[in-house]
Amino acid sequence: MASKYDLIVIGGGPGGYVSAIRGAQEGFKVALVDARGLGGTCLNRGCIPTKSILHMANLYRAMLNADEMGIIANDVGYDMAKIHAQKDEVVGKLRDGVAGLLKANGVDVFVGKGSIPAPGKVKVTSNEGEQVLEGARILLAVGAVPMIPPIPGIDLPGVITSDALLEGTPREIKHLLIIGGGVIGVEVASIYASLGVRVTVIEAADRLLPLLDVEIGRSIAMLLEKRGATVHTGTVVKEITQAGDLLAVEGYSQKTGDGIIEVDTVLLAIGRLPYLEGIMREGMELKTNRGILVDEQFRTNIPGVYAIGDCVSGTPQLAHVAHAQAVSAVCMMAGKQSGIDLSLIPSCIYTEPEIASVGLSADAAKKKGYSVKTSKYVMSSHSKSMLEGLDRGFVKLVFDEQTEMLLGAQLMCGRATDLIGELTAAIVTGATASQLAHLIHPHPSFSEGIGEAVENFFGRAIHIAPQKSARSRRGEDMPRH
């Protein structure tokens, strides 16, 4: 392998390997340095493992209730070791695919920890020793690690992070307490509630998923509780102590005061912090503020050093954001523009039903001075939702009432994570309600909910009772055949 490169990427996650491949496509000689497995957190310890287990947990729950659909399934159970083995098989195949793509594009891959000992140089440290690479450009895509809160007892056995939960031998859990009601916490709660494990979620904010639309947070809490989970919002954890074979979690609730819950496992799910340990030698300090500070071309304060993805200050920690930033950064290195709109980022949560949002919520749009009009369709009365036995759900669209332009969308329904792409495109192109009303959606499909919500903007949705109807005032929309 060569030792001099046009671009050296440190980190092999969605930002790193995409940067390396796009760099090779632009004609750069590229090296990629990775220490924890190609695909990064998303593939090995995050998105893919979680969604794999979620799929199987949802299948198990569906089988338990299959008799309602006329299917008789006796002695339904699950084997957590096999569920994890299936997850590992999927991860392994995808990781091999990334390795194959890097090789096909002529990217040199170095296994080891990458650091920058001097400008234009990257040191690779592995079990086999050290070697130094030279690069005209160095791109940091080093990702993030679970945040560990300063709670007494946080280091006790049985207190784990999502990394530990998803890697290695699966744990036998009888009562799981999750600290944090964000995306990770809600998805893990969905998994274990579906598997029949006792689940308690503690969130400091007044609702789950506090960064999303209020209705989404309240709806997912109701669904989790319907599936057996307990949700405590407005609650903080004060201390964790050993109580025999269990852990005693002491918390304070704004509603009920102090309380103690005894569990066997505590999951820390309060967020992730950029992983910057040992990246730069002493004397070469990156400017940071809860992550690396970069300019509009992803350049750091150190000449020749760039950064993208979860390690960058203010960046939403999402794989598709890292991917988009990777393409944009390398294009700019090559003197081009990617054309990607980095200001509009869809957010997806893979519960059942799925949750997705993009653009502005109604409250955020009002704060920006828009004359806001929301339009909603309740999906629980929709045929595809009924066919698949899904619970609560809706499509909510946020428009500027004066121009009719779509400003944002919040979905909680089947295939929401797929549907959000249509609405992202609509916002990027400045589509109006009148223009969206021209589209025909296939029947039966979840996408019909978008059409109904658009038509409701004009008060002429076919499957929503007129506003003067008492049934409509109670939110009882007509079934969508």
Side-chain angles (χ1 to χ4, degrees), residues 62-329:
M63 293 302 295
L64 289 179
N65 299 301
D67 60 330
E68 298 176 4
M69 301 290 185
I71 299 173
I72 308 303
N74 297 318
D75 300 322
V76 177
Y78 65 88
D79 184 327
M80 202 61 175
K82 289 185 178 179
I83 288 176
H84 274 249
Q86 169 66 14
K87 174 262 295 181
D88 292 340
E89 182 179 351
V90 171
V91 169
K93 288 179 178 178
L94 291 172
R95 192 166 49 225
D96 290 345
V98 172
L101 289 170
L102 290 166
K103 182 178 180 180
N105 281 277
V107 176
D108 291 342
V109 177
F110 296 84
V111 179
K113 180 175 175 58
S115 60
I116 303 177
K121 296 184 184 296
V122 171
K123 181 171 69 175
V124 183
T125 304
S126 67
N127 293 333
E128 299 176 357
E130 298 180 353
Q131 63 184 121
V132 177
L133 312 177
E134 295 183 24
R137 307 168 188 84
I138 300 170
L139 187 146
L140 298 176
V142 291
V145 293
M147 186 186 302
I148 308 299
I151 299 173
I154 208 73
D155 55 348
L156 288 172
V159 181
I160 61 174
T161 66
S162 56
D163 286 3
L165 182 70
L166 294 169
E167 290 186 311
T169 303
R171 305 176 64 90
E172 182 179 346
I173 300 175
K174 295 181 179 179
H175 187 174
L176 173 65
L177 184 142
I178 302 171
I179 302 177
V183 175
I184 295 174
V186 164
E187 288 189 349
V188 172
S190 296
I191 289 173
Y192 283 91
S194 293
L195 293 175
V197 174
R198 189 178 176 191
V199 175
T200 300
V201 182
I202 291 181
E203 167 57 43
D206 62 354
R207 66 181 189 275
L208 298 183
L209 302 174
L211 298 181
L212 297 183
D213 183 84
V214 173
E215 190 171 0
I216 288 177
R218 292 172 178 168
S219 294
I220 195 62
M222 292 176 69
L223 281 177
L224 286 174
E225 290 176 335
K226 182 178 178 180
R227 294 168 188 173
T230 301
V231 177
H232 297 287
T233 55
T235 303
V236 295
V237 174
K238 298 169 60 177
E239 184 179 16
I240 304 172
T241 56
Q242 199 75 48
D245 294 334
L246 299 176
L247 295 168
V249 180
E250 181 181 354
Y252 172 78
S253 168
Q254 297 175 3
K255 298 177 182 178
T256 60
D258 291 331
I260 294 177
I261 303 172
E262 292 190 350
V263 302
D264 58 0
T265 306
V266 174
L267 174 69
L268 306 178
I270 62 170
R272 300 176 71 86
L273 291 174
Y275 178 67
L276 304 177
E277 183 179 352
I279 298 297
M280 309 298 297
R281 73 161 170 79
E282 189 174 349
M284 291 180 62
E285 299 295 333
L286 288 167
K287 287 186 178 179
T288 61
N289 180 17
R290 294 182 63 84
I292 302 171
L293 294 172
V294 298
D295 64 13
E296 68 281 355
Q297 295 187 38
F298 300 97
R299 297 176 296 195
T300 71
N301 62 296
I302 299 177
V305 178
Y306 301 73
I308 61 167
D310 292 2
C311 66
V312 172
S313 178
T315 294
Q317 294 179 339
L318 301 168
H320 48 282
V321 174
H323 181 129
Q325 289 184 344
V327 172
S328 297

